[in-house]
Amino acid sequence: MMTAAFVDQATSLRTLAQSARRARVIAVTSGKGGVGKSNIAVNLAIRMAQSGKQVALLDADLGLANADVLCNVDLKWNLSHLITRKRTLQEVMIQAPGGFHLIGGASGLAKMADLTDQDRQRILDSLTELESMFDVLIIDTGAGINANVLCFTRAADHVLIVTTPEPTAITDAYAVAKVMIRDGQERQMSLVVNQVRSAAEGRAVYERISKVARQFLGIGIYDAGCIFTDENVALAVRRRSPFVMAFPKTPASVCISQLVTRLQPERMLKPQPGGFFHRMSRWLRI
Ligand SMILES: Nc1ncnc2c1ncn2[C@@H]1O[C@H](COP(=O)(O)OP(=O)(O)OP(=O)(O)O)[C@@H](O)[C@H]1O
Ligand SMILES: [Mg+2]
């Protein structure tokens, strides 16, 4: 049971989220694991920050949160410490190399469904603040189609689906779009094809998925372009340095810059009504 005081507080938080809202929320997701979400999320965050935006990245991969590893930063705290009131947002959020802010998700998020009203208010309070502080909030959702992933795609303005040209990844990318539509999520969706050998290969994968989505789901998916297979990506991962920083001119880095252009808010990121955490609060049933 929610108390009257809590309902009042939740209402005022929602009002705050709507009035103070600034961030555009991009959820980076995929059906199949290991297709490059975390690398894309981190490097996209850096290139957007370099273009003058205030960017935060929420690592919401509950299974294998690893944006901190890619950036070689030591995260003492994460969102689970906010939930348990052990740390504030300012303590949890760190400035990562490349000029963006990182909030680690870790496994604490998996317990979201079991939270008390007070816990939920705590998250909303902190994250509403986050939404008002940044121009862009990127969420690495982790792979697969489950309640946690869907919660973040539901809350996003834009869902960037990552696939590779592998048939299994293509099938799973389509499945993500399908599940979102079945879930009633009329989000702007775009597709980026990672690990391609040529732009033509990426374009062919996009055409295939978008055609089936149009035909069977009745939706349009934006073409967010492709990212070339690039040996410097794996090298950068081993060096624990995001590839746009370690190898700014390598083909994958050039592709990330093109991705930034394709994701420009004026081109496609029209915000959904209400703020991110307003929608999150609906999911939390507040
Ligand atoms: N464009 C690329 N060129 C070459 N290798 C790549 C490219 N993108 C990703 N990789 C390789 O794929 C690996 C997995 O990438 P990443 O961790 O970003 O995937 P993920 O989708 O986040 O995985 P998970 O589903 O486990 O979270 C990287 O460590 C890297 O070696
Ligand atoms: Mg990942």
Side-chain angles (χ1 to χ4, degrees):
M1 279 288 286
M2 286 186 289
T3 64
F6 179 73
V7 172
D8 283 350
Q9 282 168 323
T11 306
S12 58
L13 276 172
R14 280 200 292 272
T15 309
L16 178 70
Q18 285 165 67
S19 60
R21 175 155 199 262
R22 214 176 128 209
R24 297 288 176 273
V25 184
I26 305 172
V28 182
T29 196
S30 72
K32 190 172 184 291
V35 293
K37 288 176 302 303
S38 298
N39 271 279
I40 290 171
V42 164
N43 288 282
L44 183 64
I46 293 171
R47 277 280 149 102
M48 283 185 163
Q50 287 171 345
S51 76
K53 298 259 189 301
Q54 292 290 326
V55 183
L57 170 61
L58 173 64
D59 187 353
D61 188 337
L62 308 180
L64 295 160
N66 60 11
D68 53 327
V69 178
L70 290 177
C71 300
N72 199 18
V73 291
D74 193 12
L75 279 180
K76 279 202 195 119
W77 320 110
N78 58 53
L79 211 45
S80 67
H81 297 100
L82 274 182
I83 295 166
T84 53
R85 292 179 164 268
K86 287 187 179 133
R87 297 289 147 194
T88 63
L89 178 63
Q90 276 66 28
E91 289 170 316
V92 167
M93 188 167 62
I94 63 141
Q95 174 103 42
F100 70 98
H101 285 78
L102 176 64
I103 302 108
S107 52
L109 267 180
K111 293 177 189 154
M112 243 179 177
D114 305 326
L115 302 178
T116 65
D117 287 349
Q118 284 74 17
D119 291 338
R120 289 171 178 162
Q121 188 191 334
R122 174 80 172 154
I123 298 171
L124 283 175
D125 205 0
S126 304
L127 298 187
T128 300
E129 196 184 331
L130 192 66
E131 191 172 31
S132 69
M133 286 161 63
F134 292 94
D135 300 316
V136 185
L137 175 53
I138 299 172
I139 305 176
D140 180 357
T141 70
I145 304 157
N146 57 52
N148 287 318
V149 170
L150 279 175
C151 140
F152 288 108
T153 58
R154 193 177 295 154
D157 295 308
H158 189 96
V159 177
L160 178 64
I161 302 173
V162 183
T163 186
T164 66
E166 266 184 53
T168 46
I170 291 175
T171 308
D172 292 353
Y174 173 72
V176 167
K178 187 165 139 187
V179 168
M180 281 176 54
I181 294 302
R182 292 226 171 124
D183 190 49
Q185 298 188 32
E186 297 289 329
R187 294 284 160 271
Q188 280 194 341
M189 282 183 224
S190 62
L191 184 81
V192 61
V193 188
N194 189 21
Q195 304 201 40
V196 300
R197 284 162 299 178
S198 68
E201 183 182 32
R203 184 75 200 172
V205 171
Y206 166 75
E207 294 290 357
R208 213 170 128 192
I209 294 177
S210 67
K211 188 175 163 200
V212 180
R214 204 166 34 243
Q215 198 173 344
F216 294 103
L217 305 177
I219 56 159
I221 297 180
Y222 287 94
D223 182 4
C226 62
I227 297 168
F228 291 119
T229 296
D230 185 337
E231 60 190 18
N232 283 333
V233 172
L235 198 55
V237 170
R238 281 199 292 277
R239 284 193 198 169
R240 297 186 64 183
S241 172
F243 61 81
V244 295
M245 293 179 72
F247 306 101
K249 297 207 164 114
T250 203
S253 298
V254 176
C255 293
I256 292 287
S257 295
Q258 288 164 356
L259 180 61
V260 172
T261 305
R262 285 174 183 248
L263 292 178
Q264 269 168 7
E266 56 275 20
R267 278 188 61 171
M268 54 199 311
L269 294 179
K270 297 202 178 62
Q272 300 291 320
F276 169 54
F277 298 108
H278 170 61
R279 296 188 297 281
M280 178 75 109
S281 69
R282 285 201 310 238
W283 174 75
L284 291 167
R285 293 196 185 86
I286 287 172

